[in-house]
Amino acid sequence: MLSRSLRGSEFRVAWPIILLGVVGVFTSMSAALLYGFGALVVPLEDAFGWSREEITTSITFLFAGVAVGSQIVGWLFIRFGMRRVAIFSVLFQSIGYFLITQIQTSIGWLYLAFFIMPIICSGTIAITWAQLVNLWYVRNRGLALAIIFSATGLAAMIMPSAITWAISWGGWKAAFVLLGAIPLLLTLPLTLLWMKFPQVYATESKGEGGALEIPGIPFRQALKSRVFLGYNIAFTLSVALTVGMVTNAVPLLQDMGLSAATASAVFSSFGVSIVVGRLLVGFIIDRYRPTVVAIVSLALPMAGCLIFLHAGSGDIYLLIMATALIGFSAGAEFDLAAFLIARYFGLKDYARIFGLHLGLITIIAGGMPAWFGYLYGTYGNYTPVLWFCFACSFITTLVLFLMKDIPAYAATAAPKGTELSAGQVTQ
């Protein structure tokens, strides 16, 4: 067990990296725009006459753009350097939001903007901030990742109200001006000021475009690894069940006999448990075997699904527990994937390896609502949905259990004598 002083030294030296990561995740399109989009639906409907179905379809294009952007960001880092890509991506992100205010009548322009922006602004998606944190944090990597990814919860709490305020002040255009101003005023200055890299990874020889020479498994080698295959299967299924429960929990509870208000109140435990799961698992994973932590965390939805299958409308506390178990696992999933991919493949091609994983997850997540809608429409109840989610959790834990004895990539361990100090940074 590492001493408390060794663990704390990373936070003392690299706390700006955490703050930059939180702001970066918060202002990304996958957080600020996604969680604030609900407040834009009615104003866009009133302004253009588009149907709500047409408007919400734009989120599908956003997911598609993120899937593409996650595949190219790693190559951009290698070609131009992470810092340069991040800076220009933030600038393009703000410009993109400002240009959306010029949309006239065709919703096709909104679809195009939502698809193109995550591609040309790919340096602002979660992969960038995860890689930066992975470079700086070894002993506290799990907790550090958990903290920056908790910014999605912060976005969910702040952005709907902020966008509603902007709309009340200047209409739907003001909302996109706000979305563009936030990264310009927050993310860009902090990136210019704090996006630096530990000297331990900065050799005299740098790659083309100033990319850092970092040890790790090459991208092509990772693709052939059964570990990468196993992680894709496990975490994709975990995300699938999460999407299923997020989109169906409230109507499921209403079908059980709960009022809409009560069902929403029960589901509120989902959001709280996501934050708790993210931070608690991030803390634990730095101290115990990470694959075992993943197995336990991602097995919890099995218990939640069984409770939903057998509880009645009067078992409010059991229903809250079931919702919280699934939410806890959902909070842990993304952190676990970001941590384990760094642990088992190193950081050399982390952006491309994690980007491919994120792209696959995004594609599957985009198709899950339709699949769950099909199950409900075919059987007329949510029992098949719950059993499908149970199976996803079971297969996830089984795959991870079979991988539990695979050794970590040695280069991700903290090199001897490289305890970070204030001078051990490079641009």
Side-chain angles (χ1 to χ4, degrees), residues 52-124:
R52 295 189 183 185
E53 182 180 0
E54 289 176 323
I55 295 170
T56 55
T57 299
S58 60
I59 296 300
T60 301
F61 286 88
L62 176 63
F63 281 150
V66 171
V68 175
S70 64
Q71 305 313 298
I72 66 172
V73 67
W75 175 83
L76 291 174
F77 287 167
I78 294 172
R79 179 67 179 82
F80 301 105
M82 185 193 303
R83 190 172 189 272
R84 190 180 303 169
V85 171
I87 291 169
F88 278 96
S89 292
V90 174
L91 285 172
F92 293 154
Q93 181 184 30
S94 294
I95 293 171
Y97 280 131
F98 296 152
L99 290 176
I100 289 177
T101 63
Q102 303 306 306
I103 288 177
Q104 298 300 319
T105 57
S106 174
I107 197 171
W109 289 110
L110 186 66
Y111 292 164
L112 180 63
F114 276 30
F115 175 70
I116 291 293
M117 281 183 63
I119 299 175
I120 64 174
C121 312
S122 58
T124 64

Side-chain angles (χ1 to χ4, degrees), residues 143-216:
L143 181 57
L145 288 169
I147 292 172
I148 69 164
F149 291 144
S150 293
T152 57
L154 192 64
M157 290 187 287
I158 294 176
M159 290 312 300
S161 298
I163 287 178
T164 298
W165 170 82
I167 291 170
S168 67
W169 176 73
W172 68 271
K173 291 186 178 182
F176 284 104
V177 170
L178 175 66
L179 285 166
I182 292 174
L184 197 63
L185 297 176
L186 290 179
T187 316
L188 182 60
L190 294 184
T191 302
L192 291 168
L193 182 64
W194 286 336
M195 182 169 267
K196 304 174 182 179
F197 309 101
Q199 188 67 44
V200 65
Y201 290 121
T203 63
E204 291 297 324
S205 173
K206 292 186 178 181
E208 188 177 3
L212 298 176
E213 290 292 339
I214 302 170

Side-chain angles (χ1 to χ4, degrees), residues 253-273:
L253 291 167
Q254 289 180 274
D255 280 5
M256 293 176 65
L258 275 65
S259 66
T262 303
S264 298
V266 170
F267 185 69
S268 65
S269 63
F270 190 91
V272 175
S273 60

Side-chain angles (χ1 to χ4, degrees), residues 226-227 230-231 291 344 398-406:
R226 69 184 182 93
V227 179
Y231 282 162
T291 307
Y344 288 94
L398 178 62
V399 170
L400 291 174
F401 179 81
L402 295 175
M403 297 167 57
K404 71 180 187 303
D405 294 324
I406 297 174

Side-chain angles (χ1 to χ4, degrees), residues 196-401:
K196 304 174 182 179
F197 309 101
Q199 188 67 44
V200 65
Y201 290 121
T203 63
E204 291 297 324
S205 173
K206 292 186 178 181
E208 188 177 3
L212 298 176
E213 290 292 339
I214 302 170
I217 293 175
F219 179 67
R220 292 183 180 275
Q221 183 179 340
L223 295 184
K224 301 174 183 178
S225 168
R226 69 184 182 93
V227 179
F228 188 61
L229 175 62
Y231 282 162
N232 280 313
I233 293 173
F235 290 112
T236 298
L237 289 175
S238 180
V239 169
L241 78 87
T242 298
V243 172
M245 295 311 301
V246 166
T247 55
N248 291 284
V250 172
L252 162 66
L253 291 167
Q254 289 180 274
D255 280 5
M256 293 176 65
L258 275 65
S259 66
T262 303
S264 298
V266 170
F267 185 69
S268 65
S269 63
F270 190 91
V272 175
S273 60
I274 282 180
V275 176
V276 172
R278 181 155 286 168
L279 294 176
L280 182 58
V281 168
F283 177 82
I284 294 174
I285 203 172
D286 292 320
R287 290 155 175 80
Y288 300 98
R289 293 179 62 185
T291 307
V292 174
V293 175
I295 291 170
V296 174
S297 301
L298 301 184
L300 295 177
M302 285 191 284
C305 290
L306 291 175
I307 292 173
F308 276 124
L309 285 165
H310 295 96
S313 59
D315 301 318
I316 296 297
Y317 291 110
L318 281 177
L319 295 175
I320 292 174
M321 179 187 298
T323 305
L325 287 172
I326 297 171
F328 185 98
S329 178
E333 185 278 328
F334 196 75
D335 300 347
L336 288 167
F339 180 96
L340 289 170
I341 287 176
R343 179 178 176 87
Y344 288 94
F345 297 104
L347 300 176
K348 178 182 180 66
D349 267 336
Y350 178 83
R352 288 201 290 175
I353 296 170
F354 188 48
L356 178 57
H357 171 75
L358 183 61
L360 292 172
I361 284 179
T362 302
I363 293 171
I364 296 298
M368 280 298 106
W371 167 244
F372 288 116
Y374 168 79
L375 288 177
Y376 179 80
T378 301
Y379 296 95
N381 59 68
Y382 286 102
T383 299
V385 171
L386 290 170
W387 279 117
F388 178 83
C389 292
F390 179 93
C392 287
S393 181
F394 176 79
I395 296 172
T396 294
T397 53
L398 178 62
V399 170
L400 291 174
F401 179 81

